[in-house]
Amino acid sequence: MSFKLSDYNTAKLIIKKLKELNLNLKIMHVCGTHQDTIVKNGLDTLLQECNIEMRQGPGCPVCVTPQKEFEEAKTLAKEGCAVAVYGDVIRVPVEGGSLADLKAEGYDIRIVYGAEDAVKLAKSIRKPLVFMAIGFETTAPTTASVLLNDPPEKFYVLSCHRSVPPALDALLGMGELKIDGLIEPGHVSTIIGLKPYEPLSVKYHIPQVVSGFEPLDMLVAVLMIALQVKRGEARVENEYTRVVKYEGNTKALKVLSDVFEPSDSVWRGLGLIKDSGMKIKRRFEEHDARRVFEDELKQLDSVEFKEPLGCRCSEVIRGLLYPQECTLFGKACTPTRPVGPCMVSVEGACSIEYKYGRLNVKAASNKS
Ligand code: SF4
């Protein structure tokens, strides 16, 4: 562990308490940053001593974006638009080639740091620019705010934004894995607050705790879940009180609801989830790439996209499989030659395990 000494002593006390509680738990989180904290600090190995298994669920926005949406971006680049994407998006393997492959062929694919950067770029070029906007409630407000602030005429957004709570509902509803508690992402929760999680605790009788990103935050969150389980409770608690408020960020929520409306959306690994997408409202239709380029994108509706051969990202995304259980992990699939999105994105479970050199971690038995 890379704890400070004071944190180390607190961590020891938490582990002692967890051992005393003597439970056998599977806890899922849905955040690449949480996974990084867990793997970097060996928290999962530590928690195994307390019979607690940690699983990463659908918490990497790039990983859950289906191939069709990458294909939409590729199609618009071929139609003569500049396409602006986040750095890890460009390398995601897609049937027929990634956006990076398209760039190598001479198409105009640019890397940007965010929506505002994309707007600046749109102002500096003559051709239309499409911003492929990927992310959960954390990044969606920045996309919304550029649309509210008089963007350039030829600036278009391909909204690939998604909302976390409907995906959690879908995942729990599948019942593939018995999950005893959910750790909710601190950054998403900063925007949405605690309320959207509450129906899940009622419907599935599952404890949930919003957690920060330090190792101690996560251990405290695990303890809070364990205590709820011990008491037979199922409610939403907030470990990250220094940042997250019950009501969330009301200004950001207003910006989101001004620009987006819920829409059914396909998630890689999870399929179609009701009201989990963020569709641009008609008021901004002149900047909505899907409306403006409807005819060009229509051809993709009938295409069936296959997952890369042997890639098990869908199961990794649902928390059913540890990356090391994929036979391609660290062999045919590495960050320099990724086969699936989970090895590309910095938030992907496979890339995180690889980054910290955990090539041979023995996977615990899964399936509930
Ligand atoms: S190791 Fe590669 S191929 Fe296997 S699940 Fe991860 S990203 Fe997909």
Side-chain angles (χ1 to χ4, degrees), residues 154-316:
K154 288 185 179 173
F155 173 77
Y156 307 103
V157 171
L158 182 67
S159 176
C160 307
H161 286 306
R162 286 174 167 75
S163 175
V164 169
L168 294 174
D169 193 358
L171 187 80
L172 293 170
M174 286 178 182
E176 293 176 306
L177 190 70
K178 187 187 166 298
I179 302 165
D180 302 292
L182 282 171
I183 293 182
E184 303 299 3
H187 39 29
V188 166
S189 309
T190 304
I191 305 295
I192 67 174
L194 271 59
K195 211 172 170 188
Y197 303 120
E198 288 174 346
L200 300 175
S201 278
V202 174
K203 189 169 171 186
Y204 301 102
H205 193 75
I206 190 164
Q208 300 175 79
V209 175
V210 172
S211 171
F213 301 99
E214 296 296 325
L216 259 194
D217 284 318
M218 299 216 65
L219 287 180
V220 171
V222 168
L223 179 61
M224 289 166 81
I225 286 176
L227 289 169
Q228 281 200 49
V229 172
K230 194 75 180 174
R231 296 186 204 117
E233 295 172 353
R235 53 199 175 83
V236 184
E237 290 184 292
N238 186 9
E239 182 279 332
Y240 202 26
T241 49
R242 60 192 188 274
V243 176
V244 175
K245 297 192 186 91
Y246 176 79
E247 67 279 10
N249 180 331
T250 49
K251 267 193 194 157
L253 287 172
K254 164 96 173 62
V255 165
L256 280 180
S257 68
D258 283 347
V259 173
F260 296 113
E261 60 192 20
S263 63
D264 298 348
S265 171
V266 173
W267 294 52
R268 192 190 292 250
L270 293 166
L272 185 70
I273 303 177
K274 191 170 167 38
D275 290 341
S276 66
M278 297 191 205
K279 185 177 171 182
I280 296 170
K281 285 187 171 172
R282 200 163 269 283
R283 183 180 148 205
F284 303 95
E285 66 183 354
E286 72 271 27
H287 295 291
D288 182 349
R290 290 207 179 89
R291 286 196 216 262
V292 174
F293 300 104
E294 194 179 353
D295 292 341
E296 290 81 352
L297 298 176
K298 204 180 285 173
Q299 35 149 340
L300 298 174
D301 288 345
S302 53
V303 180
E304 239 185 72
F305 296 95
K306 290 192 211 88
E307 292 301 318
L309 199 65
C311 173
R312 301 183 69 185
C313 281
S314 291
E315 291 153 276
V316 170

Side-chain angles (χ1 to χ4, degrees), residues 311-313 316 326 328-329 333 339-340 342-343 350:
C311 173
R312 301 183 69 185
C313 281
V316 170
C326 171
L328 306 186
F329 178 79
C333 182
V339 175
C342 298
M343 189 56 97
C350 302

Side-chain angles (χ1 to χ4, degrees), residues 5-136:
L5 190 61
S6 54
D7 289 356
Y8 181 73
N9 290 332
T10 312
K12 267 187 13 186
L13 286 175
I14 294 171
I15 295 296
K16 183 169 172 277
K17 180 70 185 163
L18 286 168
K19 282 182 180 166
E20 282 166 13
L21 287 172
N22 192 24
L23 296 162
N24 191 341
L25 303 177
K26 272 195 183 74
I27 296 178
M28 178 174 275
H29 69 84
V30 283
C31 171
T33 316
H34 278 163
Q35 183 65 7
D36 198 279
T37 299
I38 289 169
V39 177
K40 182 178 177 187
N41 295 283
L43 299 186
D44 47 357
T45 315
L46 197 64
L47 288 165
Q48 272 173 13
E49 292 172 21
C50 316
N51 289 326
I52 296 175
E53 244 185 77
M54 300 298 289
R55 299 283 175 142
Q56 179 175 0
C60 159
V62 173
C63 307
V64 300
T65 304
Q67 289 201 57
K68 184 184 174 191
E69 294 178 13
F70 292 96
E71 207 56 56
E72 287 178 318
K74 284 169 61 182
T75 301
L76 296 178
K78 287 177 185 170
E79 290 291 331
C81 299
V83 171
V85 295
Y86 290 116
D88 43 3
V89 169
I90 195 166
R91 294 176 54 243
V92 171
V94 186
E95 258 184 285
S98 64
L99 285 159
D101 294 328
L102 215 58
K103 185 175 172 66
E105 285 174 37
Y107 290 100
D108 196 354
I109 315 289
R110 316 273 186 119
I111 290 176
V112 289
Y113 294 108
E116 285 176 14
D117 203 14
V119 167
K120 265 191 219 152
L121 184 58
K123 285 179 181 164
S124 71
I125 59 176
R126 290 211 177 138
K127 64 172 86 166
L129 181 130
V130 176
F131 173 50
M132 186 180 185
I134 290 186
F136 299 137

